[in-house]
Short mmCIF file of all heavy atoms in Angstrom, two decimals:
data_model
loop_
_atom_site.label_atom_id
_atom_site.label_comp_id
_atom_site.label_asym_id
_atom_site.label_seq_id
_atom_site.Cartn_x
_atom_site.Cartn_y
_atom_site.Cartn_z
N VAL A 22 -36.68 38.46 -73.54
CA VAL A 22 -37.12 39.30 -72.33
C VAL A 22 -38.08 38.59 -71.47
O VAL A 22 -37.93 38.60 -70.15
CB VAL A 22 -37.85 40.61 -72.79
CG1 VAL A 22 -38.47 41.34 -71.66
CG2 VAL A 22 -36.90 41.50 -73.56
N GLU A 23 -39.02 37.77 -71.94
CA GLU A 23 -39.84 36.77 -71.09
C GLU A 23 -38.84 35.87 -70.45
O GLU A 23 -39.19 35.48 -69.17
CB GLU A 23 -40.86 36.16 -72.10
CG GLU A 23 -41.79 35.23 -71.32
CD GLU A 23 -42.67 34.39 -72.25
OE1 GLU A 23 -42.81 34.79 -73.43
OE2 GLU A 23 -43.26 33.45 -71.79
N ALA A 24 -37.95 35.20 -71.05
CA ALA A 24 -37.05 34.23 -70.42
C ALA A 24 -36.21 34.86 -69.38
O ALA A 24 -36.11 34.25 -68.24
CB ALA A 24 -36.16 33.67 -71.49
N LEU A 25 -35.82 36.08 -69.49
CA LEU A 25 -34.91 36.78 -68.57
C LEU A 25 -35.86 37.16 -67.33
O LEU A 25 -35.36 37.03 -66.16
CB LEU A 25 -34.33 38.06 -69.06
CG LEU A 25 -33.07 37.89 -69.98
CD1 LEU A 25 -32.79 39.09 -70.78
CD2 LEU A 25 -31.90 37.30 -69.15
N ASP A 26 -37.13 37.48 -67.48
CA ASP A 26 -38.04 37.79 -66.43
C ASP A 26 -38.34 36.55 -65.61
O ASP A 26 -38.45 36.65 -64.41
CB ASP A 26 -39.33 38.39 -67.06
CG ASP A 26 -39.23 39.86 -67.50
OD1 ASP A 26 -38.20 40.50 -67.13
OD2 ASP A 26 -40.15 40.24 -68.36
N ARG A 27 -38.48 35.54 -66.40
CA ARG A 27 -38.86 34.18 -65.67
C ARG A 27 -37.67 33.74 -64.85
O ARG A 27 -37.74 33.26 -63.75
CB ARG A 27 -39.21 33.18 -66.73
CG ARG A 27 -39.54 31.82 -66.17
CD ARG A 27 -40.95 31.96 -65.27
NE ARG A 27 -41.38 30.78 -64.80
CZ ARG A 27 -42.50 30.07 -65.13
NH1 ARG A 27 -43.22 30.58 -66.09
NH2 ARG A 27 -42.84 29.09 -64.56
N LEU A 28 -36.48 33.76 -65.37
CA LEU A 28 -35.21 33.47 -64.74
C LEU A 28 -35.08 34.23 -63.38
O LEU A 28 -34.88 33.61 -62.34
CB LEU A 28 -33.98 33.68 -65.63
CG LEU A 28 -32.69 33.28 -65.04
CD1 LEU A 28 -32.48 31.77 -64.95
CD2 LEU A 28 -31.54 33.89 -65.81
N GLU A 29 -35.32 35.55 -63.51
CA GLU A 29 -35.15 36.42 -62.37
C GLU A 29 -36.18 36.15 -61.39
O GLU A 29 -35.91 36.02 -60.13
CB GLU A 29 -35.22 37.87 -62.86
CG GLU A 29 -34.98 38.84 -61.66
CD GLU A 29 -34.96 40.24 -62.09
OE1 GLU A 29 -35.04 40.51 -63.36
OE2 GLU A 29 -34.84 41.16 -61.15
N SER A 30 -37.49 35.93 -61.69
CA SER A 30 -38.49 35.54 -60.75
C SER A 30 -38.26 34.35 -59.96
O SER A 30 -38.57 34.31 -58.82
CB SER A 30 -39.86 35.73 -61.38
OG SER A 30 -40.04 34.66 -62.26
N GLU A 31 -37.91 33.42 -60.65
CA GLU A 31 -37.54 32.08 -60.05
C GLU A 31 -36.47 32.12 -59.06
O GLU A 31 -36.53 31.46 -57.97
CB GLU A 31 -37.36 31.03 -61.18
CG GLU A 31 -38.53 30.60 -62.05
CD GLU A 31 -39.55 29.80 -61.34
OE1 GLU A 31 -39.11 28.98 -60.48
OE2 GLU A 31 -40.63 29.88 -61.75
N LEU A 32 -35.40 32.77 -59.40
CA LEU A 32 -34.09 32.69 -58.68
C LEU A 32 -34.05 33.87 -57.56
O LEU A 32 -33.47 33.52 -56.53
CB LEU A 32 -32.89 32.93 -59.46
CG LEU A 32 -32.62 31.65 -60.38
CD1 LEU A 32 -31.32 31.91 -61.25
CD2 LEU A 32 -32.49 30.51 -59.56
N ARG A 33 -34.73 34.80 -57.66
CA ARG A 33 -34.84 35.86 -56.64
C ARG A 33 -35.43 35.15 -55.26
O ARG A 33 -35.03 35.51 -54.13
CB ARG A 33 -35.71 37.05 -57.02
CG ARG A 33 -34.87 38.08 -57.79
CD ARG A 33 -35.18 39.48 -57.47
NE ARG A 33 -34.47 40.36 -58.46
CZ ARG A 33 -33.48 40.82 -58.22
NH1 ARG A 33 -32.68 40.72 -57.11
NH2 ARG A 33 -32.83 41.66 -59.19
N ALA A 34 -36.46 34.37 -55.56
CA ALA A 34 -37.10 33.71 -54.39
C ALA A 34 -36.00 32.84 -53.66
O ALA A 34 -36.01 32.79 -52.44
CB ALA A 34 -38.31 32.99 -54.85
N CYS A 35 -35.19 32.10 -54.40
CA CYS A 35 -34.19 31.21 -53.86
C CYS A 35 -33.15 32.12 -53.19
O CYS A 35 -32.58 31.64 -52.05
CB CYS A 35 -33.45 30.43 -55.03
SG CYS A 35 -34.62 29.13 -55.67
N ALA A 36 -32.81 33.14 -53.71
CA ALA A 36 -31.71 33.98 -53.27
C ALA A 36 -32.00 34.59 -51.82
O ALA A 36 -31.26 34.78 -50.94
CB ALA A 36 -31.34 35.18 -54.09
N THR A 37 -33.47 34.80 -51.57
CA THR A 37 -33.85 35.39 -50.40
C THR A 37 -34.15 34.41 -49.26
O THR A 37 -34.01 34.74 -48.14
CB THR A 37 -35.00 36.25 -50.55
OG1 THR A 37 -36.18 35.40 -50.98
CG2 THR A 37 -34.82 37.48 -51.46
#
Side-chain angles (χ1 to χ4, degrees):
V22 173
E23 180 186 344
L25 287 165
D26 290 342
R27 183 62 180 249
L28 180 74
E29 184 173 357
S30 67
E31 294 285 331
L32 291 181
R33 277 218 189 265
C35 292
T37 58

